[in-house]
Each structure stands twice: as C-alpha cells, then as structure tokens.
Amino acid sequence: MKRDLTRPSSLFRSLRRLLGVAVTAGLMGGCTPIMLDDTPAEDHWQQATHWPLELPAPHADDRFMQLPAGDDQRLAAGDRLSVRVAGSELFDGSYEVDHDGRLRLPWLSPVEASNRTIDTLADEITRRLVQEELIRPGLAHVSIRLEEWAPLAVAVSGAVFFPGEAVINTRLPEERMVRRDFAGGDASQQRRLSAALTTAGGIRPDADLSHIELIRDGQTQILDMRGLIDGEYAANPWLRVGDRVHVPSSGAFQAALMRPSPLTAPGIVIYASNLTTPANNNNVSNYTVLRSQVPYGVRMLQGVINANCVGGIQATSGSRRAVLISTNPMTHQPVVVDRGIDALLANPADVGVNPYLMPEDVVGCYDSGVTNIRDIARTLTDLLTPATLL
C-alpha cells in the first residue's frame, strides 16, 4: 500500500505560509505592540518653553531678617528630661513629658511643659516647689537636662509631594535604646522646618521657596529658604507643637530644584518592569523587586537603565522602547511618555525627551522588533514540532 505524501506536503506549505504571515506582522508591528497616548517632547510639562520667566533672586540682606522671634527649641509631648533638685533626692529622676504636654514629678502637681524652654520649665518647677511648700524659699534649685527630643507632628501643605501630617525626628527603637544608655543630651536637627519639608516628600519643582509660610499661634511668618538650595544662609527655624507649614507654588517648573538638597527627599521610589528577552523575567534579570529607590533628580534614562532595559546584544536588543507613566505634580494629571531608548541616549539633556522622574513613577520596557520576530518563530517551531512526528 502506497503512502499519500501529498497531505504532509500540503500541511508544511500551510505552516510556511503561516510563518510568513507572522514574520510580516512582526515587522509591521514595530517595537511597541500597543498604541499609547504619548506626550510629544515639545509638549511635556517640564519643557522650559512653558515657563519663560525665572523667579527673582532674593536680596542678600533680607535673608538675615527671616528667623521668627525667640527661635529656640520648645518642649513637646514625649520629650525625655533629667531633673535634679538640689538638697532633695525625692524629685530626682528621668521624666517624659506626658501626652497632654505636662510633666509629672512625685508629690508635685502637674506642671505645663509643652512649648516651654528648658530654662523656663526649671523656673516654673522651682516656683511650684516653694508655692506648694515642698521646699523652703531660697533652698529650691532645680536643674533640668535634656535627654532626648521626641518625634513631633506638624501639618505641611502646598507644593510638597505628600502633603499632610509630617512626623519629624523619628528614630528606630534600637537607636532610642542606645541613646538612652549612652547619650547625655540630644543635638538632633530633625525638628527644624527643613525636616518637615523632606518628611512630606520634599518640595516640588514648582515650589516658591522665597515665601514659605509658617503659621504659629494664629500668626503667619514668611520665610525665605532659597539659601538652602545654593549653600547660602536661610531661615530654618525650630518647629513647635501646633505649627503649620505651607509651601506656595510659583506656577513654574524649576530645574534648579530637581536635585538632592536639604529640602528634598534623599531618594524617590519608582516602579519598574523589564519583562524582556534576553531577560525573560525580573528574576532572570536580577531585578527581583518592582519598587526601586533612585536619587531625587534622576531622569527617565537613569530609570530605564536601573530597570536593566539598556544593554545586551545590539542585534537583538537595539531599537527597544521605554514607557514612563508619570503625574504632573502641579495639575495632578497623568502623563504618558513613550520614547525609543536610542532617542534617550541621543538626547539626555532634553527634558521633553528625557524628563525628570517624579515619586511613584512607573517605568516599563518593550522588546525590540527583532526579539518579537524571534519569539514568534519559537512559537511556530513549537507548533511545527508535533507535525513532523505525524
């Protein structure tokens, strides 16, 4: 009985046609398999052409007139103090200001400590010891030494990335225990205004640093903090219980603010995806986490490189594309940027092509057209292999 060889030949011819159609589709499809609502380089919100005016430079003499009157650290709930009363060990000890802002010593009625300086608190305890007839007049001598400043919550609004309640001067429990055992004071600078701004995510690139508002006891103090950006003198007062901070917007993008400084967060978190070949998944590419922290002020190209989207075999990895999904912090509108990696490498200084990254941005990479065709061929090979066994 003769074998009919026409059927396999017909099958292979059909599969070859299918392969040709798939290759043609891959070539016509280009590098990106979906159509994106892309933002052209000239229309990106960070382009300098959208902000033709620069902010006026501050007057040098004005910077030295900005500190609020009586700029000194004031006590708050949680602050730990060492109290010593000369001639009476009954009151000696380490005390913490209670949640209601009062200090409680043995046999003495609670003393209001919140928003007092250490010296005025010592004077008040001295007066109360005599008033409540616990120590004779002239014999009451109170010494108070700070052991540790506690965290402090203040409200921050305006042109910062994460407005709301900012808790400053936080420490890990291990650090607090070490300080409690060995430290004899606390010189922390983390209860200043700059700490509140960085805790709130840092200033946005549109922040007007010449008119920072500090609202205290119903009064508004205008502060110029631009000196902290350029290394000059600037007002940076201690914050107190009940303080509120507002950062107005200048209405303009300022590239000079897009770098690490005492007013910006040390780093920002971005999300990255690199499901590519030769890196078939994030584990193979050694990119094992979706979240990645990068320094503040880096651009899309650095984020793409950080996600392992650049490099590899030129013939198969060239002409790839990257997508940045961001948010305009001034309008809170989403922005989609689709750029070829070759274009990013060729125009690293153009903010329209290679924009600065904002906190919580998303970076994704697509395979090149060559890689797409290769994957299609592998898929068809898997389909053809069973047919050869017929």
Side-chain angles (χ1 to χ4, degrees):
M1 183 175 182
K2 294 183 179 181
R3 298 179 59 189
D4 185 2
L5 300 179
T6 60
R7 293 186 61 184
S9 299
S10 176
L11 176 60
F12 287 133
R13 282 197 299 270
S14 298
L15 289 175
R16 281 198 298 269
R17 293 192 190 99
L18 180 60
L19 176 60
V21 171
V23 171
T24 303
L27 290 172
M28 295 178 63
C31 302
T32 307
I34 59 175
M35 296 298 294
L36 298 173
D37 186 14
D38 179 41
T39 300
E42 62 274 10
D43 293 337
H44 194 275
W45 65 273
Q46 295 179 12
Q47 280 284 19
T49 54
H50 296 296
W51 322 114
L53 300 178
E54 294 186 359
L55 296 178
H59 298 291
D61 294 340
D62 291 346
R63 295 188 179 189
F64 295 90
M65 302 172 61
Q66 299 297 326
L67 285 177
D71 179 47
D72 44 25
Q73 288 216 62
R74 301 297 180 94
L75 295 169
D79 290 344
R80 197 171 69 250
L81 308 171
S82 174
V83 178
R84 297 290 183 268
V85 179
S88 177
E89 298 180 356
L90 296 176
F91 306 99
D92 293 352
S94 179
Y95 301 94
E96 194 169 281
V97 180
D98 277 351
H99 67 281
D100 60 358
R102 297 195 288 182
L103 191 68
R104 289 172 168 81
L105 275 63
W107 298 288
L108 186 68
S109 59
V111 180
E112 189 66 38
S114 180
N115 273 335
R116 288 183 181 271
T117 65
I118 291 178
D119 291 340
T120 57
L121 177 61
D123 293 341
E124 177 62 16
I125 292 177
T126 300
R127 187 186 69 82
R128 296 281 290 276
L129 287 172
V130 174
Q131 181 183 22
E132 298 181 18
E133 299 181 350
L134 296 173
I135 294 182
R136 294 179 181 177
L139 299 179
H141 300 284
V142 177
S143 172
I144 299 179
R145 179 173 58 84
L146 175 74
E147 292 186 347
E148 184 180 14
W149 295 111
L152 181 67
V154 296
V156 182
S157 61
V160 292
F161 282 107
F162 303 114
E165 183 181 74
V167 181
I168 56 179
N169 197 47
T170 57
R171 290 185 171 124
L172 296 174
E174 297 81 4
E175 184 181 359
R176 293 178 63 92
M177 291 183 64
V178 170
R179 292 192 58 82
R180 189 167 299 182
D181 293 337
F182 299 102
D186 191 349
S188 173
Q189 299 292 307
Q190 295 305 306
R191 292 210 330 194
R192 290 189 179 272
L193 176 53
S194 59
L197 297 179
T198 57
T199 303
I203 56 170
R204 297 191 323 225
D206 61 308
D208 183 359
L209 299 184
S210 65
H211 291 83
I212 304 293
E213 299 176 11
L214 174 61
I215 301 99
R216 174 180 294 168
D217 299 329
Q219 301 294 319
T220 300
Q221 176 82 26
I222 305 300
L223 305 173
D224 183 352
M225 301 190 71
R226 283 177 288 186
L228 294 181
I229 298 295
D230 56 26
E232 299 293 336
Y233 175 85
N236 191 18
W238 300 104
L239 295 183
R240 305 177 186 174
V241 175
D243 281 353
R244 292 185 293 127
V245 179
H246 179 73
V247 182
S249 173
S250 66
F253 173 78
Q254 303 166 81
L257 301 184
M258 291 300 305
R259 59 183 177 85
S261 74
L263 302 179
T264 59
I268 60 174
V269 172
I270 63 172
Y271 296 84
S273 174
N274 180 25
L275 299 179
T276 66
T277 304
N280 289 318
N281 54 60
N282 285 343
N283 290 330
V284 174
S285 66
N286 292 324
Y287 196 82
T288 58
V289 293
L290 291 176
R291 291 165 56 95
S292 178
Q293 186 166 14
V294 296
Y296 183 70
V298 304
R299 301 199 187 192
M300 180 179 178
L301 179 58
Q302 285 96 326
V304 169
I305 293 175
N306 185 68
N308 292 332
C309 297
V310 179
I313 303 171
Q314 178 66 27
T316 58
S317 299
S319 302
R320 295 178 61 194
R321 301 193 69 79
V323 175
L324 170 64
I325 304 174
S326 185
T327 300
N328 183 332
M330 292 183 286
T331 63
H332 305 290
Q333 295 299 311
V335 180
V336 178
V337 176
D338 178 14
R339 300 287 183 263
I341 291 180
D342 291 342
L344 290 173
L345 293 171
N347 303 277
D350 188 335
V351 294
V353 177
N354 186 30
Y356 291 98
L357 297 180
M358 299 290 116
E360 310 294 330
D361 276 0
V362 178
V363 176
C365 304
Y366 288 106
D367 290 336
S368 66
V370 173
T371 304
N372 291 338
I373 295 173
R374 182 176 62 186
D375 288 344
I376 292 172
R378 286 176 177 173
T379 302
L380 292 175
T381 300
D382 293 339
L383 294 175
L384 286 170
T385 300
T388 61
L389 301 178
L390 296 176

